[in-house]
Amino acid sequence: MAISETEIAAYIASARQSPRLTHMLGEFSDLATGRKGAPDFPIILDPELLRHDGLSLQYAKIRERHAGTFNQHFIASLPYVLEEQCRFGAALLRYGRWIDETRQRPLDVYTLGDASGVTARSLTDISQGRIRTLTCSPNRENEAAFHHGRPPGSAHFFLGPFFDVSAASLPERGIHDFKDGFDFVIEDTTFQMYGKSRLAPIQIAAQNLRSDGIFVLLEKFWLPDAEEFARRERQKDDEFKARFFSREKIEEKKQTIVHNMDRQLVTLEELTGSLSELFSTAVIIWNSGNFYTIAASNDAGNLLNFVNSLTPSATPPEFQYAELPQILLGDRDLPFAFREPSPAGD
């Protein structure tokens, strides 16, 4: 059941005083400019993990054109999220082609937590404007990076936190492309920066979603088994991040962003409970250590179409702890399955 306007207002009031918009705002500015958090060694895409899927590799080239300073930090921090960004982007392209062919309109995508809009700009660029995008961030440094690399076409930036984005506020900023809402709303490790609540922020962001749209969340989860959670964190730090960051940088981030973030984590079960109040179907589509991506919708057919547009996960087995795709909500007999990679790029 959706929560009341009073509860939404209380959440927003609390979120405005959250670490993300107060003492951590400067930390994210430093990451966006490279004053802090820049990897010591470059991160190179592994085409073997993508199984040489042609469309994923085409997307990777465009994504590299738009990858800014913050994204370099992000892909060096979260194991194999670089390959996942390319796999996910290719699936959005396939889904966008289907929308274009069947409904004769662009695909509309809203990303929150994407810093300078690497995913948003890449999608608009590679689709030559047939995917219209919006990204938001409260950091002016991300706005500057977005406009510096903005591609031709309908790619938009909203300076401010996600809870200020609405059907009313977009036209006030001169953004008129999304009057009917978005086909995708994509949250990328954002909600955990504003508190432990998930139902309120999902409901706020989902107000921008079409009734048959798809809500995607990339979240870090707390595990009921604290020792297993800690083991996966050590695996992330020692077997992945240590390839790109010094031990000093890893420890510094633990004391700043990671410490604050981990205090606001919820379990997968808790998030599933929140999603069940707003969506009928939800599926895990990616996992790396304590990080999971979940896609949810009230249109099972559209969700099935999107999930079936994804190639198999590009995460090595030793970092993957979930069977994929995995249905969390809805009809357990729906034929969710990943498509075979295609070197031809279809």
Side-chain angles (χ1 to χ4, degrees), residues 41-47 75 82-83 243-244:
F41 301 98
I43 303 91
I44 299 173
L45 182 83
D46 187 347
I75 63 175
L82 169 57
E83 287 78 12
R243 293 160 49 191
F244 310 110

Side-chain angles (χ1 to χ4, degrees), residues 235-291:
Q235 180 190 39
K236 169 174 63 72
D237 291 344
D238 297 343
E239 298 179 29
F240 186 81
K241 291 181 68 172
R243 293 160 49 191
F244 310 110
F245 295 106
S246 67
R247 178 55 59 182
E248 290 75 19
K249 286 184 177 180
I250 293 173
E251 292 301 320
E252 180 184 9
K253 187 178 180 183
K254 281 184 181 180
Q255 299 306 316
T256 55
I257 294 175
V258 173
H259 173 71
N260 283 281
M261 181 175 67
D262 284 359
R263 293 169 58 192
Q264 312 299 339
L265 300 182
V266 299
T267 65
L268 175 60
E269 290 71 22
E270 288 171 325
L271 182 73
T272 303
S274 295
L275 288 173
S276 70
E277 300 292 332
L278 300 169
F279 298 102
S280 61
T281 309
V283 182
I284 301 174
I285 59 175
W286 185 70
N287 165 238
S288 176
N290 290 317
F291 293 85

Side-chain angles (χ1 to χ4, degrees), residues 170-209:
L170 289 176
E172 292 173 356
R173 302 287 186 94
I175 301 172
H176 302 284
D177 282 342
F178 309 112
K179 295 177 182 178
D180 297 322
F182 294 88
D183 298 289
F184 280 83
V185 172
I186 302 167
E187 181 254 351
D188 192 334
T189 57
T190 298
F191 297 155
Q192 59 207 25
M193 298 295 176
Y194 292 94
K196 290 198 67 131
S197 173
R198 291 298 182 271
L199 180 55
I202 292 171
Q203 184 171 320
I204 291 168
Q207 290 173 355
N208 297 291
L209 191 68

Side-chain angles (χ1 to χ4, degrees), residues 3-24:
I3 59 178
S4 69
E5 291 185 8
T6 300
E7 291 171 300
I8 290 292
Y11 169 83
I12 292 175
S14 174
R16 292 198 191 280
Q17 303 303 316
S18 66
R20 178 63 180 88
L21 297 182
T22 54
H23 66 272
M24 286 177 63

Side-chain angles (χ1 to χ4, degrees), residues 125-143:
D125 192 355
I126 195 171
S127 69
Q128 298 181 319
R130 289 304 292 168
I131 297 180
R132 304 186 299 190
T133 59
L134 173 75
T135 193
C136 71
S137 170
N139 287 88
R140 291 188 179 277
E141 296 83 359
N142 286 327
E143 180 185 35

